[in-house]
Amino acid sequence: MCRSSIERGPATPVDVGILGATGVVGQRLASLLDHHPWFRLVWVGASDRSAGQRYGSLSWRAPGDAPACVRDRVVSSCDPSGAPRVVFSALDAAAAESLEPTFAAAGHVVISNARSWRMDRLTPLVVPEINPHHLDLLADQRRARGWDGAIVTNPNCSTVFLAMTLHALSAFGVERVVVSTQQALSGAGHPGVASLDATANVIPFIPGEEPKIETETAKILGTLEPGGIRPHPTRISATATRVPVLEGHVEVVSVELAASPALEDVEAAFARFRGECPPGLPSAPERPIELALNDDRPQPRLDCERGRGMTVVVGRLRPCPALGYKFVALGHNLIRGAAGAALLNAELMLARGLLPVAPR
């Protein structure tokens, strides 16, 4: 699709489905797809517990009501037969590990929020503002696996926010990073963390979270090579905590930059960052990164909905006596860090001609 056709979108909306449609991220995807200009949600799949039931009759935990476009649809089992060619996956990792390749082998393009295939050498791990060219891996993936379909992943929620800020500083040479995350309860899904553990407390451990932040960020910032991605050499040390906040992950970041830029130059790099994705993608925020100028911002309750939940907010930028500079970053974990990230990847793929689309 050329630039003008990107901005107009496809002649006919592309039919899509959701795997794991009844979970927290699946419901957010359903809400974001309702009245989407490029996609039409026509199929919802879930576990055997929900299959055969009317989607609108199941427990709904996203804001508002279940979308009218699927409220009366019967939930299907997670089987490729009957599913549209394009499916979003909000499956848990255990289910995604086996089901996503089954769909890809059957000719479906799977746009996944699950962690199962993110670090696979032939699977693109994409943030459109950072590494849209990593989608070129799909040719190698299809050739090596013999698939007519494909799997494309978006990162762990905290990884998205960190990778975005580091990419904005890439011209200065990112060498070392120390990040501590304060992650919202909704990141654990539903029912999530037990109330007696979460109330008025900080839990200083989230299983598997720290390695994901460290390895996924290096892959996203890495270099595309034949047959895979060479990880970025920056050294990242992550600590992940769970805090009694409903939505919005906060990250406290210290970074060492090779070029030793002035504070004003670092601030300008954040302010002018617009990223690498093409213009006209419906879910892309006008400003992927916004600077919060007040000393007490960003705050989850006040700032995580910026850019319809797709903007990363950076504040408290200041010198760091240990590494050079430090700042606080905030992102909406269920939108920019999950459902919205997958949707933006799908829009990017459609714009690049990587999804089935009716000719204009």
Side-chain angles (χ1 to χ4, degrees), residues 15 27 33 63 82 92 96 205 269:
D15 288 348
Q27 291 183 354
L33 285 164
D92 64 48
F205 176 63

Side-chain angles (χ1 to χ4, degrees), residues 42 62 69 88 109 114 135 149 154 159 168 194-195 204 208 214 226 235 258 281 308 311 349:
V42 299
C69 62
F88 294 90
V109 176
L135 288 172
N154 58 268
T159 301
S195 60
E214 294 167 355
R235 289 168 289 173
L281 304 187
R308 297 166 296 153
T311 292
M349 294 179 71

Side-chain angles (χ1 to χ4, degrees), residues 199-224:
T199 303
N201 196 23
V202 175
I203 302 170
F205 176 63
I206 304 174
E209 192 75 4
E210 293 160 2
K212 285 188 284 186
I213 295 170
E214 294 167 355
T215 59
E216 291 177 16
T217 302
K219 181 176 179 178
I220 293 162
L221 299 177
T223 302
L224 177 65

Side-chain angles (χ1 to χ4, degrees), residues 22 27 44 49-61 65-67 70-75:
T22 59
Q27 291 183 354
V44 284
R49 294 191 308 273
S50 301
Q53 300 185 59
R54 189 175 67 88
Y55 188 69
S57 70
L58 299 170
S59 178
W60 181 257
R61 302 193 177 276
D65 298 321
V70 288
R71 193 177 303 151
D72 293 323
R73 288 191 178 274
V74 174
V75 177

